[in-house]
Amino acid sequence: KIIVFVLPLILTNLLQVFYNAADMMVVSLSSEANSVGAISTTSAFINLVLNIFVGFSVGTNVVVARWIGARDDDQVERAVHTSLLTSLAFGGIACGIGLAISRPVLGVMGVTDELLELALTYTKIYFLGVPALSLTNCCIAVFRAKGDTRTPLAVLTSTGLLNVGLNFLFVLIYGRSVDGVATATLISNTVSAVV
């Protein structure tokens, strides 16, 4: 039973990392020579943000699971609503901070010239989707607290496929580069949060 519970959990976490990898693979098909380098230089910065939300979701998971175990529906409802509001608020704050510090952080990381401008384009569009990303991680934590790891896996699988499809659409059909794959990720994260 532990393996049946944990396997979707592991796959869900891998799917969240897959978004950035899918962006790099598809953007390599664009006409922009530095597009892959621009996205790869942002990976550490973006993973830092993603791991912060994963940490918050662990807290949500613990609190909600505690009240589910106590069979206190009122406290479960309060914990879920508080977590949702907190995730949206923190996602908005993180979005603002990310937009404000992207240039200095990427500069400290040694990204320069045209690569910097492409990396900034990618991170700025990506950070616009951070509130949705935060909400998604909160919802995943609530499902995990209920013992349901399959629903988040199904949602992230379908939105991951949407991300790849939109990547191909924006890069191959519309001729976009890093802005196209970042927009695809933004849309996919938003759809994931809504679903």
Side-chain angles (χ1 to χ4, degrees):
K1 287 186 176 184
I2 291 174
I3 292 171
V4 170
F5 179 80
V6 170
L7 192 57
L9 182 72
I10 293 168
L11 292 173
T12 299
N13 288 340
L14 287 174
L15 281 172
Q16 286 189 309
V17 174
F18 175 70
Y19 276 71
N20 192 257
D23 288 352
M24 280 194 292
M25 287 186 275
V26 175
V27 82
S28 68
L29 302 172
S30 77
S31 60
E32 180 62 55
N34 293 320
S35 58
V36 174
I39 294 175
S40 67
T41 59
T42 66
S43 295
F45 188 31
I46 286 171
N47 286 335
L48 172 67
V49 172
L50 182 62
N51 286 328
I52 290 170
F53 295 128
V54 168
F56 274 105
S57 71
V58 169
T60 296
N61 190 343
V62 169
V63 172
V64 173
R66 176 178 173 222
W67 292 118
I68 288 173
R71 291 184 169 81
D72 188 335
D73 292 339
D74 290 335
Q75 289 294 345
V76 169
E77 188 176 335
R78 286 183 62 203
V80 169
H81 291 149
T82 301
S83 296
L84 291 172
L85 289 174
T86 303
S87 72
L88 280 174
F90 185 75
I93 291 167
C95 172
I97 291 171
L99 291 170
I101 68 167
S102 289
R103 182 176 292 277
V105 168
L106 291 170
V108 167
M109 293 171 64
V111 183
T112 58
D113 303 325
E114 184 184 345
L115 199 60
L116 176 62
E117 294 309 313
L118 288 171
L120 277 172
T121 299
Y122 183 80
T123 55
K124 286 183 176 183
I125 295 170
Y126 188 92
F127 274 109
L128 292 174
V130 163
L133 182 64
S134 178
L135 184 60
T136 298
N137 276 291
C138 180
C139 292
I140 288 170
V142 170
F143 277 101
R144 287 180 186 164
K146 289 179 20 174
D148 180 0
T149 56
R150 292 180 185 196
T151 299
L153 177 61
V155 170
L156 285 181
T157 299
S158 60
T159 56
L161 293 172
L162 174 65
N163 183 46
V164 171
L166 289 173
N167 280 345
F168 281 117
L169 176 72
F170 290 136
V171 171
L172 297 180
I173 305 298
Y174 295 125
R176 307 307 306 166
S177 178
V178 295
D179 58 333
V181 295
T183 302
T185 299
L186 170 68
I187 292 168
S188 300
N189 282 334
T190 303
V191 169
S192 182
V194 170
V195 172

